[in-house]
Amino acid sequence: MPLPQTETPGLELQSPKEAEESQTPAQGSRRTSSRKESNAHCKDGTRLGLGTLRQAFSRASQRALTQVSKEDTGLFRRSSCSLFRSFRQALDGGPAAGHFQATPEVPSGVMNGVSQQASTGAASEELKPEAEGKSVADLITERQLLAAFEQLLRLETRLVAEKASRTFEQDPTDFARRAMDVCLHYDGLAAELSAIVRETLGSDGVDTAVLAELARVVNAEEEAHPSPPDDGDFLRTPRHWRQHWEEAVRRSAQERVRRPGAGWASAAAEGASGLAQLLAELGGLVRRDLQKVRQEVQPAYAAAGFPAWEVYLRAFHSAVAQRLQELARDARGCEQLYVLLDWAANVYGSPDFLGPPGLALPAEPLPPLLAPDVWAGLESDYTSFLEAKIASCFDNILQLEQSHWAAAEDPEVLQGLYRAPLSMDVHMLVAEHVKAAGAISAELEATTLRICTRALGLFVPRFEKAFLASEAVSEPHLGAYINACEELRTSILSRFPGTQEELEKPLVAATCSFQKHLLQGLQCELQPLFRVVCTRDWLTQDWLRPLMDKVVRFTGHLQRVAQPRAQETLREVHRFVVREYLAQALRPRKRFWAVERMRGSQKMSLDAQAISDTFQGLGSEATWLDQAIQCVAEILGETYKDDIQRHLETLIRSYPDIRRDHILAILALRRLGCRRKQHLLQHTQDLLRAAAGVVGAESPRGRVLFEEIKVPSAMAVRITCI
């Protein structure tokens, strides 16, 4: 790289002999005259010397700024400003100020060289080594950095020694010129060190010899200036080149990290896919660079004891964190925020990203890639966008189902069951978002699950209302949505137990609602058929077959409904048939006498057996219903009136929800005298009281039959008997 040269006459360090030969006699006389004037007017002469120094400083600064790279101008300004302040002190206060009285301590080898040169009487010399004939600038250009530093150190030490011996009392600007040249060459050497660091990770490969040379220079500088001197001299102040090297590494890492996405417009313009691609490129570059540091750079520095791996690792970590925060400020939408969070947590945060397993990491842990408040802010923004996205997804699911209703499409049958895409869509929506959030953090997973659960709890009743208000209500669709609710309830609650409290109630309510509408459709078809029971036509017609045919057809749909809902629905159909049969029998439109009563008893017994056999064949588990119609038939046809009491006892024990009005209605089917009827009622009174207690305490759940049968009041029964 271009380096400061010493060709400008005002700043060239010359030997005394060369200075004498370059002067003409006229110049010599003018210098003598000038020296006399200076002795007579010391104060004015000092002002002129300061002005000349400032002009020289300005010219040297301009030349250095054009030759030193931009990244090292900070170091140049610091050293140059320190130089100027030191010159002002020297010119304004003179040696009496006490800043340069003591000769600074330097390494013995350097002092020996300075003593030998000082003994020859040379006041100054050019920045060229005596043996090799190369200037300091040439050595820096050829990257013979240690040789350049050692020569600069010798010149610096000699210049300080000459200043301490008051060599420059008569001509302080000569000291300024020589000091400025030394300072600028130090700046050039520092700039070359930065250039080496910058080129280390480039495509040209690693020059291990140059890196080792750099490490030796830094160690030599620390040995030469182990601590700040007490004399305040700018030349003897340590330049802290190790810190300069570390800063160069940080700048190099920042430049490398900013290369991916150099043409990046903004997150809003590029979208989530563009952001993902940028982060993928960033991750690949950081991996490659750290691998290069680990395999090539670190070994080159290791001989000099440089912790290159830790410095580079921290530099890249800091650069990536800064770049990620810049991208986070522009991120918009749920997808982009998730891409950032996922990359930080799962790509950069993976165990092998910074190096292979078992690699020694810094003793002091690296700070979080994103500060806790920044991370919390990203998660908060993500969940805010997620709520709106989840709600929109449920809207889309509802619209998709409505399109199926409008097309009058029957649900698919898979594995023998009705299937609606509703359950699969909802399950995938919840599971995918919760799983994605869990890959980032447990807190985000819990928050996402709460959002999905709350949205699903609001969606289920809305979906139920929309479906039942549509024209698509049918057995297949109702069966499909019963299955869907059960699948959601089973899958989501089993996978996410914490959602039970919030999801159990709406899903069960929707399932029961669909079951109710499924039953209502069948009940509307069967209800008119029961009106013939206990009529003359009933005695002569096979009225039960069409009713049971409808039941069998209906159970064909139930076979495609998942358990246990199919069995629950079948039991309800069974209970409905028995209940409606008894309700018609206990409200007869015509009373049977003698032979007709016996035929009615036989007919009722046959109906009870047919109903029991049919539902048993369909798989109904409600066998407790089989005795109800049979007991009434036996009471109706009992020839021994004393045995009626036994049939009543069986009926009351089997159906604890039976009441006194039901007993009266059953007895009204027979021509019994009031005295016998009163005797039977008194005998069953204790059984009815016991049965009432069983209903309140130990009655099996769902075993309700007579409670839902409305019969005429006791007075109406008595009027019928009369």
Side-chain angles (χ1 to χ4, degrees):
M1 63 175 286
L3 294 166
Q5 303 296 325
T6 59
E7 297 175 357
T8 304
L11 291 179
E12 184 178 7
L13 298 184
Q14 298 175 325
S15 65
K17 182 177 181 180
E18 291 172 343
E20 291 175 1
E21 292 176 356
S22 63
Q23 294 176 352
T24 62
Q27 290 172 334
S29 62
R30 284 197 298 271
R31 176 172 294 184
T32 303
S33 176
S34 174
R35 188 174 298 131
K36 292 179 180 179
E37 292 177 0
S38 175
N39 294 333
H41 307 285
C42 181
K43 186 175 182 180
D44 295 337
T46 301
R47 289 197 190 96
L48 291 174
L50 180 59
T52 303
L53 175 60
R54 286 174 176 166
Q55 292 175 2
F57 175 78
S58 176
R59 289 194 301 270
S61 298
Q62 292 175 1
R63 182 176 61 185
L65 288 173
T66 58
Q67 294 177 347
V68 180
S69 63
K70 294 181 180 179
E71 63 190 21
D72 299 300
T73 55
L75 177 62
F76 169 74
R77 292 192 188 98
R78 290 193 297 272
S79 60
S80 300
C81 291
S82 174
L83 176 66
F84 182 73
R85 286 194 300 270
S86 181
F87 290 164
R88 276 297 296 265
Q89 293 174 1
L91 292 172
D92 293 344
H99 293 294
F100 307 105
Q101 296 301 320
T103 302
E105 296 182 2
V106 295
S108 58
V110 175
M111 284 303 299
N112 292 336
V114 173
S115 300
Q116 292 173 3
Q117 294 178 9
S119 64
T120 63
S124 62
E125 69 176 84
E126 296 181 88
L127 295 175
K128 291 184 179 181
E130 296 84 348
E132 299 178 3
K134 293 182 181 179
S135 67
V136 174
D138 291 338
L139 292 174
I140 295 174
T141 302
E142 296 173 3
R143 292 190 168 174
Q144 299 182 34
L145 305 180
L146 185 59
F149 172 74
E150 291 173 347
Q151 185 173 346
L152 278 173
L153 186 61
R154 287 195 298 270
L155 294 172
E156 175 190 2
T157 305
R158 183 185 308 162
L159 191 59
V160 171
E162 291 178 359
K163 180 175 178 289
S165 64
R166 300 187 179 183
T167 302
F168 302 104
E169 275 189 347
Q170 302 301 322
D171 191 6
T173 56
D174 185 26
F175 170 76
R177 287 193 300 271
R178 293 171 60 186
M180 174 63 77
D181 225 2
V182 172
C183 185
L184 292 178
H185 279 79
Y186 267 126
D187 288 347
L189 182 58
E192 191 66 20
L193 298 182
S194 296
I196 292 171
V197 172
R198 187 172 58 253
E199 296 167 4
T200 298
L201 298 178
S203 58
D204 296 336
V206 176
D207 191 337
T208 57
V210 171
L211 295 184
E213 183 85 352
L214 186 154
R216 286 192 292 270
V217 169
V218 174
N219 286 336
E221 191 270 342
E222 291 178 341
E223 293 175 2
H225 302 118
S227 61
D230 297 329
D231 57 8
D233 195 294
F234 76 96
L235 285 172
R236 300 303 296 164
T237 301
R239 285 158 181 81
H240 303 292
W241 281 0
R242 184 179 292 270
Q243 289 85 343
H244 177 77
W245 169 74
E246 293 176 355
E247 180 61 29
V249 171
R250 285 191 288 271
R251 287 197 303 270
S252 175
Q254 290 174 355
E255 292 175 1
R256 299 284 297 175
V257 164
R258 298 194 67 84
R259 287 188 178 184
W264 175 262
S266 67
E270 300 290 344
S273 59
L275 180 59
Q277 182 179 358
L278 185 149
L279 290 174
E281 294 175 1
L282 175 62
L285 181 139
V286 173
R287 282 175 183 269
R288 291 191 298 272
D289 283 355
L290 289 179
Q291 183 180 10
K292 189 174 185 179
V293 170
R294 195 169 56 251
Q295 296 178 353
E296 302 179 44
V297 178
Q298 168 66 15
Y301 282 114
F306 260 45
W309 167 245
E310 181 173 350
V311 173
Y312 270 96
L313 181 62
R314 291 188 179 277
F316 271 98
H317 183 77
S318 176
V320 170
Q322 181 179 351
R323 182 62 172 145
L324 211 60
Q325 290 187 23
E326 293 173 357
L327 296 173
R329 285 194 293 269
D330 296 333
R332 295 293 182 272
C334 182
E335 290 78 10
Q336 291 184 357
L337 288 168
Y338 182 81
V339 167
L340 280 172
L341 290 169
D342 178 64
W343 191 88
N346 299 318
V347 179
Y348 188 86
S350 62
D352 61 340
F353 183 85
L354 298 178
L359 180 69
L361 294 176
E364 183 180 351
L366 295 172
L369 185 62
L370 293 174
D373 57 333
V374 175
W375 183 270
L378 286 176
E379 285 193 348
S380 177
D381 293 342
Y382 170 74
T383 54
S384 297
F385 283 111
L386 183 63
E387 285 188 272
K389 179 185 177 183
I390 294 295
S392 176
C393 289
F394 278 117
D395 290 341
N396 293 337
I397 291 174
L398 178 57
Q399 292 176 5
L400 182 62
E401 293 296 322
Q402 287 174 332
S403 66
H404 296 324
W405 307 338
E409 299 175 356
D410 286 336
E412 295 181 347
V413 178
L414 298 176
Q415 297 180 346
L417 299 176
Y418 287 126
R419 297 286 182 180
L422 172 70
S423 59
M424 182 65 68
D425 294 342
V426 172
H427 181 80
M428 290 181 62
L429 174 66
V430 175
E432 287 182 2
H433 281 86
V434 172
K435 181 181 179 181
I440 294 176
S441 69
E443 294 79 6
L444 188 61
E445 179 183 22
T447 303
T448 302
L449 181 58
R450 286 195 298 271
I451 291 173
C452 293
T453 301
R454 186 165 54 249
L456 179 56
L458 296 173
F459 168 77
V460 170
R462 188 159 62 97
F463 174 83
E464 173 195 341
K465 182 178 179 180
F467 171 66
L468 296 178
S470 70
E471 298 179 356
V473 178
S474 63
E475 287 90 348
H477 278 107
L478 286 167
Y481 291 134
I482 290 173
N483 291 341
C485 290
E486 281 299 293
E487 289 172 2
L488 286 174
R489 182 168 169 267
T490 302
S491 60
I492 293 182
L493 294 184
S494 61
R495 184 169 182 179
F496 310 112
T499 63
Q500 182 169 0
E501 183 178 351
E502 214 166 341
L503 284 184
E504 180 82 12
K505 185 176 179 180
L507 286 174
V508 170
T511 304
C512 293
S513 177
F514 293 142
Q515 278 184 293
K516 179 181 176 182
H517 281 78
L518 187 62
L519 285 169
Q520 284 177 347
L522 177 64
Q523 290 169 358
C524 291
E525 292 184 39
L526 299 182
Q527 192 78 44
L529 300 179
F530 287 102
R531 294 174 184 172
V532 74
V533 175
C534 291
T535 64
R536 289 186 183 276
D537 294 336
W538 170 62
L539 295 174
T540 59
Q541 293 179 1
D542 187 8
W543 72 279
L544 191 59
R545 182 178 296 278
L547 185 144
M548 298 312 295
D549 287 344
K550 291 181 180 296
V551 171
V552 172
R553 183 190 64 80
F554 177 80
T555 55
H557 294 294
L558 292 183
Q559 291 175 359
R560 293 186 172 88
V561 175
Q563 299 294 349
R565 297 301 179 180
Q567 181 59 228
E568 291 177 2
T569 307
L570 181 59
R571 288 200 300 262
E572 282 299 306
V573 174
H574 191 172
R575 193 171 68 90
F576 169 77
V577 171
V578 174
R579 185 186 67 209
E580 289 302 312
Y581 192 102
L582 291 174
Q584 292 295 326
L586 298 183
R587 293 194 300 267
R589 297 183 181 182
K590 177 179 176 53
R591 296 186 63 193
F592 298 113
W593 301 88
V595 177
E596 287 184 342
R597 180 170 56 81
M598 296 302 295
R599 290 176 58 194
S601 174
Q602 294 175 0
K603 177 67 172 177
M604 190 176 293
S605 180
L606 291 174
D607 288 347
Q609 189 63 43
I611 292 172
S612 175
D613 292 345
T614 301
F615 278 103
Q616 185 177 358
L618 294 175
S620 173
E621 297 174 356
T623 55
W624 60 276
L625 293 167
D626 295 341
Q627 293 186 10
I629 301 176
Q630 189 65 41
C631 282
V632 174
E634 290 173 352
I635 292 173
L636 180 62
E638 182 60 59
T639 56
Y640 297 100
K641 295 182 180 179
D642 292 338
D643 289 342
I644 294 177
Q645 180 176 322
R646 179 171 53 85
H647 297 310
L648 287 174
E649 291 174 357
T650 303
L651 192 62
I652 293 172
R653 283 194 300 267
S654 300
Y655 303 98
D657 62 333
I658 196 169
R659 295 294 178 265
R660 185 171 180 273
D661 289 344
H662 298 119
I663 299 296
L664 285 173
I666 293 172
L667 293 177
L669 298 177
R670 294 291 305 262
R671 267 193 183 278
L672 297 173
C674 292
R675 182 178 297 179
R676 184 177 291 277
K677 189 177 297 184
Q678 188 66 27
H679 173 73
L680 290 173
L681 287 174
Q682 289 177 354
H683 181 75
T684 58
Q685 192 68 34
D686 294 338
L687 293 176
L688 289 172
R689 291 194 189 99
V694 172
V695 171
E698 301 178 359
S699 177
R701 184 181 178 185
R703 291 196 175 188
V704 176
L705 180 62
F706 284 93
E707 183 180 335
E708 297 177 352
I709 299 175
K710 294 181 180 181
V711 295
S713 64
M715 182 59 68
V717 172
R718 288 173 183 170
I719 293 174
T720 303
C721 293
I722 295 172

